[in-house]
Amino acid sequence: MALLDTVVMRGLSNQGALSTEDKAFLLELELNPRHMSASEVLWLENGQADLFCVVKEGWGYSYRNLKNGSKQILKFYLPGDIIGIRDFGFTRRLASAAMINDGVIYPFSYQQLFELFGRSSLAVGIMATAMRQQALLSERLVYLGKYAAHEQLAHFLYEIYLRLKRIGAVEDNSFLMPLTQELIGDALGMSPVHVSRTFSMLREEGLVIRDRQHVKLPDPEALARLVEFNDSYIDEFLPSAFSELLRATP
Amino acid sequence: MALLDTVVMRGLSNQGALSTEDKAFLLELELNPRHMSASEVLWLENGQADLFCVVKEGWGYSYRNLKNGSKQILKFYLPGDIIGIRDFGFTRRLASAAMINDGVIYPFSYQQLFELFGRSSLAVGIMATAMRQQALLSERLVYLGKYAAHEQLAHFLYEIYLRLKRIGAVEDNSFLMPLTQELIGDALGMSPVHVSRTFSMLREEGLVIRDRQHVKLPDPEALARLVEFNDSYIDEFLPSAFSELLRATP
DNA sequence: CATTATCCATAACCTATGTTAAGTGAGCGC
DNA sequence: GCGCTCACTTAACATAGGTTATGGATAATG
């Protein structure tokens, strides 16, 4: 029962929180264990997201390949860890995953996970929202790790731009951003002075016009190109991933 | 119906995925809106984690205060965002949260969220696992943002140490770590050369002994002090947070 | 209107970390 | 045993970004 070997589950089980039904359900969930060899890829970025795995033996990791040829590792997975719930709520993988050394994993389908949430698509929605937040966090981590200040800031502004656009708070490529440069610095891990420098840089390149809280991106697409913005993680119409599942489970 | 104003929920609703029961449940969930003024704190790190909020108006942010006096912002929250599900599954807050400007928020209790998951503490377990992953991610982000290389590496090693200890893979303060310095560099956003330099530094200080994959931490507590490791996010016996809830909802 | 506090821009200087390169030792195939 | 390759170490040099400081807007306050 691989899922039971998960740290949290083991805790729940010890406390008697898992009902007999729960345990029966877990057994039902179980697919075949899969033996993996070192460096074997579990899935690639943009691949179909339809399952997650419990790592039984060996180490794995998830990572994003970057435009400059390097990669940013998001997380190492040790035995007992669950790999791949990150993408629950998305149709495609946001990051690749691979093994480091030989190991054994137990795959579970999202479909099964979905059934687990029972009748409430509300619960699914909450879960999806949480995963979407995590996606934003991961993306920021990637930029913190490997990109230069002007790329980070461009990425940050573009993200805000997209998120505001979703809720109709962008007009004529302009929006209100009630942040001081100090706050932005605290978010991007850079000194306020350098935030200012970097804003000046972007201004000179005609990418960002800013007057206090008023921000205008004259050419959002240019910004997006600069940072190779992968908007699937923010713009994807999440629930579509569920509508299929909903159809499958009447 | 603030929760319905959430991006994901709106999507679900549009697609007719929400049943009448779901919607009734949502209505029931609703507490009173709360008017917040600029800079007002929603909660502090280590405070009790018992609710989350939907931001209706204004901007908010979550952040961690760092030992060096600065802070790392984890996320900005815009209208329609949910703030505070991050801590679902923990008893205490892992990060503080505050408003940036004036606004309105709708609080919801974790208790209600818990009921939403219905009879399945399995679902709760999955959710908690996901949140725990996010906590690790946040912690890494904090270190990427504001700490020097040797602090980052020390933190990384201590995290691995704790995680391996949980699953009984540490003996006599030693463990097997099948990572190259290049992989570690890809995780910490630093060049492999600097990983080597930094390992040398930690070795000279007697904090880390390493021979290829064999790692020994002669004095784990010293490492923990060096990085002010907040182990609540990794070591907390998560399900205890639920046992109360379970008792409350027979 | 005067005063003060914020926020921001720019400059000069300093340091941590990236880059490139060369050398060492362990493992492994031949 | 010989010559690979791979992982690591150390050194010399380059640079992005931190730090400190100063001045100038703009907004808040009396």
Side-chain angles (χ1 to χ4, degrees), chain A residues 7 10, chain B residues 132 162-168 234-236:
Chain A
V7 173
R10 225 183 306 162
Chain B
R132 193 152 150 283
L162 278 189
R163 287 170 66 194
L164 285 175
K165 205 165 142 188
R166 270 178 95 93
I167 59 174
I234 196 176
D235 227 17
E236 183 170 355

Side-chain angles (χ1 to χ4, degrees), chain A:
Chain A
M1 288 235 277
L3 250 183
L4 256 186
D5 291 335
T6 290
V7 173
V8 172
M9 290 305 171
R10 225 183 306 162
L12 284 171
S13 182
N14 287 343
Q15 295 202 340
L18 292 185
S19 64
T20 354
E21 291 148 28
D22 278 342
K23 290 190 179 174
F25 193 81
L26 270 178
L27 266 178
E28 212 176 296
L29 280 183
E30 199 89 2
L31 295 185
N32 299 320
R34 219 177 120 194
H35 291 260
M36 307 289 293
S37 48
S39 313
E40 193 173 345
V41 169
L42 279 91
W43 54 72
L44 290 173
E45 212 177 319
N46 285 325
Q48 195 187 358
D50 50 3
L51 53 81
F52 64 102
C53 302
V54 171
V55 178
K56 182 75 177 177
E57 290 169 32
W59 287 36
Y61 67 115
S62 59
Y63 61 99
R64 295 270 316 274
N65 283 314
L66 309 185
K67 57 177 182 184
N68 56 26
S70 66
K71 66 183 168 192
Q72 174 69 43
I73 292 177
L74 296 174
K75 183 167 192 218
F76 291 113
Y77 297 89
L78 317 185
D81 284 343
I82 297 184
I83 181 168
I85 9 178
R86 186 199 306 287
D87 303 306
F88 185 70
F90 294 92
T91 53
R92 297 192 297 168
R93 295 288 175 192
L94 299 174
S96 309
M99 294 300 290
I100 290 171
N101 46 11
D102 295 351
V104 179
I105 60 172
Y106 285 76
F108 298 88
S109 75
Y110 282 161
Q111 172 70 42
Q112 295 168 324
L113 181 53
F114 188 78
E115 282 162 21
L116 208 152
F117 282 95
R119 61 187 185 285
S120 171
S121 55
L122 260 178
V124 170
I126 297 273
M127 179 83 181
T129 304
M131 292 303 97
R132 191 151 152 285
Q133 277 202 26
Q134 188 165 333
L136 285 171
L137 206 63
S138 305
E139 196 66 16
R140 185 137 313 290
L141 189 124
V142 167
Y143 268 79
L144 266 182
K146 301 272 171 138
Y147 286 114
H150 69 278
E151 293 168 308
Q152 275 188 64
L153 184 56
H155 182 270
F156 176 79
L157 291 173
Y158 192 70
E159 181 195 306
I160 295 286
Y161 163 77
L162 278 189
R163 288 170 64 193
L164 285 175
K165 206 166 144 189
R166 272 179 93 94
I167 59 174
V170 174
E171 198 164 335
D172 190 27
N173 291 339
S174 298
F175 53 88
L176 214 72
M177 184 172 69
L179 304 177
T180 64
Q181 294 190 350
E182 190 182 0
L183 277 176
I184 297 176
D186 284 339
L188 302 186
M190 99 183 53
S191 71
V193 176
H194 203 55
V195 173
S196 174
R197 276 197 281 247
T198 311
F199 260 119
S200 304
M201 226 176 111
L202 293 178
R203 173 171 19 88
E204 278 161 26
E205 293 173 27
L207 290 170
V208 178
I209 300 170
R210 192 181 56 92
D211 178 32
R212 309 220 130 237
Q213 307 200 344
H214 299 272
V215 178
K216 175 162 189 168
L217 309 181
D219 185 357
E221 286 71 29
L223 254 199
R225 277 195 305 276
L226 172 63
V227 296
E228 271 199 351
F229 201 92
N230 173 8
D231 59 0
S232 72
Y233 78 91
I234 198 175
D235 227 17
E236 182 171 355
F237 187 51
L238 290 159
S240 69
F242 298 122
S243 56
E244 287 175 38
L245 293 170
L246 283 167
R247 251 177 276 122
T249 56

Side-chain angles (χ1 to χ4, degrees), chain B:
Chain B
M1 286 232 277
L3 250 183
L4 257 184
D5 291 334
T6 290
V7 172
V8 172
M9 290 305 171
R10 225 183 304 162
L12 283 171
S13 183
N14 287 343
Q15 294 200 342
L18 292 184
S19 64
T20 355
E21 291 148 28
D22 277 342
K23 290 189 179 173
F25 194 79
L26 272 178
L27 266 178
E28 212 175 295
L29 279 185
E30 200 90 0
L31 296 185
N32 298 321
R34 219 179 121 193
H35 291 259
M36 309 287 295
S37 48
S39 314
E40 193 173 345
V41 169
L42 279 90
W43 52 73
L44 290 173
E45 212 176 318
N46 286 324
Q48 195 186 358
D50 50 3
L51 53 80
F52 64 103
C53 304
V54 171
V55 178
K56 184 77 177 177
E57 290 169 31
W59 287 35
Y61 67 115
S62 60
Y63 60 98
R64 295 270 316 274
N65 283 315
L66 310 186
K67 57 178 181 182
N68 55 28
S70 68
K71 66 183 169 195
Q72 174 68 43
I73 292 177
L74 297 174
K75 184 166 191 218
F76 291 113
Y77 297 88
L78 318 184
D81 284 342
I82 296 183
I83 182 168
I85 9 177
R86 185 202 306 287
D87 303 307
F88 185 68
F90 294 92
T91 51
R92 298 192 297 167
R93 295 288 176 193
L94 299 174
S96 309
M99 294 301 289
I100 290 172
N101 45 12
D102 294 350
V104 179
I105 61 172
Y106 285 76
F108 299 89
S109 77
Y110 281 159
Q111 172 70 42
Q112 294 167 322
L113 180 53
F114 187 78
E115 281 163 21
L116 207 152
F117 281 96
R119 63 188 181 287
S120 172
S121 53
L122 259 180
V124 169
I126 297 273
M127 180 81 180
T129 304
M131 291 305 96
R132 193 152 150 283
Q133 277 201 27
Q134 188 166 332
L136 284 172
L137 206 64
S138 305
E139 197 66 15
R140 184 137 313 291
L141 190 124
V142 167
Y143 269 79
L144 267 183
K146 300 270 172 138
Y147 285 115
H150 69 277
E151 293 169 307
Q152 275 189 64
L153 184 57
H155 182 271
F156 176 80
L157 290 173
Y158 192 69
E159 180 194 308
I160 295 287
Y161 162 77
L162 278 189
R163 287 170 66 194
L164 285 175
K165 205 165 142 188
R166 270 178 95 93
I167 59 174
V170 174
E171 197 164 335
D172 190 26
N173 290 339
S174 299
F175 52 88
L176 215 71
M177 183 173 69
L179 305 176
T180 64
Q181 295 190 350
E182 191 183 358
L183 276 176
I184 297 176
D186 285 340
L188 303 187
M190 96 182 56
S191 71
V193 175
H194 203 57
V195 173
S196 174
R197 275 198 281 247
T198 311
F199 260 118
S200 305
M201 224 173 114
L202 293 178
R203 174 171 18 89
E204 279 161 25
E205 293 173 27
L207 291 169
V208 178
I209 300 169
R210 191 180 56 93
D211 177 33
R212 309 215 134 243
Q213 308 199 343
H214 300 273
V215 179
K216 175 162 190 169
L217 309 181
D219 186 358
E221 286 70 30
L223 255 197
R225 279 194 304 276
L226 172 63
V227 297
E228 271 200 351
F229 201 92
N230 173 7
D231 58 1
S232 71
Y233 78 92
I234 196 176
D235 227 17
E236 183 170 355
F237 189 50
L238 290 159
S240 69
F242 298 122
S243 57
E244 288 176 39
L245 293 170
L246 282 166
R247 251 178 275 124
T249 57

